[in-house]
């Protein structure tokens, strides 16, 4: 499974690269704090897969990296080959860039 660090993600955001960010946490977690990605909770990822691009890079994240890894495994079985897991999830982002970010 391809992985990306929070530093690499921040660079992509800063350089306005064309990619899709998917947050597979639950809606209440997303409402607490998010990185402006599309919120598709893990339990709904296969039902909502038509919202996930196959044409451009997709970075999937959650709180720590475990649920996003599960989501990637599910989506790869559906033919996705353009997915990367955010190492450490939003917790790693908070630690590196935004220590005041509330995280459930």
């Amino acid at each position: 499974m391809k992985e990306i660090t929070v530093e690499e993600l921040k660079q992509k955001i800063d350089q306005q690269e064309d990619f899709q960010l998917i947050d597979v946490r639950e809606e209440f977690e997303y409402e607490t704090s998010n990185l402006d990605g599309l919120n598709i909770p893990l339990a709904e990822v296969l039902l909502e897969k038509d919202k996930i691009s196959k044409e451009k890079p997709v970075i999937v994240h959650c709180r720590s990296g475990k649920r996003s890894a599960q989501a990637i495994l599910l989506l790869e079985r559906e033919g996705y080959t353009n997915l990367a897991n955010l190492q450490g999830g939003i917790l790693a982002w908070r630690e590196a860039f935004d220590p005041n970010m509330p995280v459930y």
Side-chain angles (χ1 to χ4, degrees), residues 72-86:
I72 288 172
L73 290 174
L74 291 170
L75 290 166
E76 285 179 342
R77 289 186 204 145
E78 299 292 318
Y80 284 82
T81 59
N82 58 328
L83 309 172
N85 189 22
L86 182 63

Side-chain angles (χ1 to χ4, degrees), residues 20-25 27 38-54 58 60 71 74-75 78 80 83:
Q20 186 178 30
L21 184 62
I22 303 291
D23 186 332
V24 297
R25 296 175 302 149
E27 191 174 322
L38 177 63
N39 183 219
I40 304 177
L42 175 60
E44 300 169 23
V45 81
L46 290 180
L47 297 171
E48 303 284 341
K49 69 182 181 190
D50 58 325
K51 296 179 180 177
I52 302 171
S53 177
K54 285 188 172 181
V58 176
V60 185
L74 291 170
L75 290 166
E78 299 292 318
Y80 284 82
L83 309 172

Side-chain angles (χ1 to χ4, degrees), residues 2-5 8-10 12-13 17-24 35 37-38 52-53 56-62 68 72 82-87:
K2 184 177 179 202
E3 292 194 309
I4 184 172
T5 65
E8 290 169 319
L9 174 58
K10 184 166 187 334
K12 288 179 177 299
I13 293 169
E17 288 185 28
D18 186 23
F19 69 95
Q20 186 178 30
L21 184 62
I22 303 291
D23 186 332
V24 297
L35 303 176
L38 177 63
I52 302 171
S53 177
K56 59 185 171 185
V58 176
I59 299 166
V60 185
H61 84 87
C62 62
S68 49
I72 288 172
N82 58 328
L83 309 172
N85 189 22
L86 182 63
Q87 291 176 350

